[in-house]
Amino acid sequence: MHRCGSIAVLLLLVLAALTGAHGAQLPLSSDIEPFISGGTETDNGHLVYIVELIKAPKFINKPAEHLGAGTLLTKDWVLTTVAAAPELPWMEAWKHVLVAVGRADGSDGIQFEIDDKKSAIEPTNGILKLLKLTKSVELNASTRPANLPSSSTVSAGLPAILAGWGSDGKKLNSVSVTVLAREKCVAEGMSSLPDDQICTSTEGNACKGDDGAPLVVDRGTGAFRVVGIATGTDKQSDKCDERSAYVNVAMYTSWILNTLYQ
């Protein structure tokens, strides 16, 4: 048994060396938006709630691959999407998905492992995912959770901030937009928008690599309320010229709280 286990580990290491840590990267050109469309670099640490989802090798020291973004809700939980924190196929058993916290200031942040058994996928839409961290995050002035909206919160008409690292995961970008009600989104051409989703004004869009990116309302007291979660960015064109959709978090606040405190 010991010999078989050693051979299995050796094969995984060989596979890692052959394939490398990075998946296929989008070629950067003037025709491709590698980050939030319409956004600007934001590395002053102001967006204290945002975290990055990455895929990294378990056994060897190689660069991580950017997957998406998420929102810190408590010192132990992160809200994101299934697309940003996927279950890895057996061919990638030598890798794992990690949460990088504290990257809003442009640093590498601190990586946290995920407890897959305690994490949960929202059962009705299959988009939202709550990640339970195996170790608590140390909260401080540069790392703080976002607030949840109440189930009755209506965010339409409010100014909001969209932020994410885009396809390459190198620079955090953000843009100011206005939250729009689903009815207005549909009237403006998003006829297939699901009932539990919203959109924003067109100053900026979430692009490839921005799945799970939080849409937040700045409450003006140093606190942020997460009202939307970017979804479907994997279907975006390379030019990021399609209007983004966001899961309306208020419709899932009850599920989130029940999962966090059950």
Side-chain angles (χ1 to χ4, degrees), residues 182 185-197 242-243 245:
R182 178 186 175 277
C185 304
V186 171
E188 293 184 0
M190 300 181 73
S191 57
S192 60
L193 192 68
D195 292 342
D196 63 345
Q197 295 183 19
E242 300 169 38
R243 202 162 180 180

Side-chain angles (χ1 to χ4, degrees), residues 71-78 133 137 139 144-146 260-261:
T71 307
L72 189 67
L73 294 183
T74 73
K75 59 185 176 62
D76 299 304
W77 289 91
V78 167
L133 306 181
V137 175
L139 304 180
R144 292 197 302 274
L260 265 56
Y261 300 110

Side-chain angles (χ1 to χ4, degrees), residues 20-217:
H22 283 275
Q25 294 287 324
L26 286 173
L28 301 184
S29 76
S30 58
D31 293 330
I32 293 178
E33 292 282 1
F35 39 67
I36 294 286
S37 174
T40 56
E41 288 185 15
T42 306
D43 58 3
N44 59 7
H46 178 58
L47 306 181
V48 294
Y49 53 86
I50 194 168
V51 302
E52 183 186 16
L53 277 298
I54 60 175
K55 179 168 59 177
K58 296 178 182 179
F59 309 117
I60 54 179
N61 185 21
K62 280 184 173 287
E65 177 185 345
H66 171 79
L67 292 176
T71 307
L72 189 67
L73 294 183
T74 73
K75 59 185 176 62
D76 299 304
W77 289 91
V78 167
L79 176 64
T80 185
T81 63
V82 171
E87 286 190 23
L88 301 182
W90 68 267
M91 298 87 74
E92 294 189 293
W94 56 281
K95 298 180 181 180
H96 54 173
V97 177
L98 300 171
V99 175
V101 178
R103 289 211 59 215
D105 59 1
S107 68
D108 292 335
I110 301 173
Q111 295 177 6
F112 289 81
E113 293 188 1
I114 298 167
D115 187 333
D116 292 324
K117 291 184 179 180
K118 294 183 179 179
S119 298
I121 297 173
E122 202 288 318
T124 59
N125 73 4
I127 295 175
L128 294 181
K129 189 172 185 177
L130 281 168
L131 306 178
K132 177 68 166 63
L133 306 181
T134 59
K135 182 181 178 181
S136 296
V137 175
E138 182 178 344
L139 304 180
N140 51 48
S142 60
T143 304
R144 292 197 302 274
N147 296 331
L148 285 169
S150 69
S151 298
S152 60
T153 297
V154 176
S155 301
L158 295 179
I161 302 168
L162 169 64
W165 282 273
S167 62
D168 58 18
K170 293 179 180 179
K171 295 290 185 180
L172 179 64
N173 282 256
S174 67
V175 64
S176 296
V177 292
T178 300
V179 182
L180 302 182
R182 178 186 175 277
E183 293 75 18
K184 186 169 181 60
C185 304
V186 171
E188 293 184 0
M190 300 181 73
S191 57
S192 60
L193 192 68
D195 292 342
D196 63 345
Q197 295 183 19
I198 54 177
C199 74
T200 68
S201 53
T202 57
E203 290 87 354
N205 290 317
C207 301
K208 282 188 176 179
D210 287 323
D211 227 86
L215 179 68
V216 304
V217 172

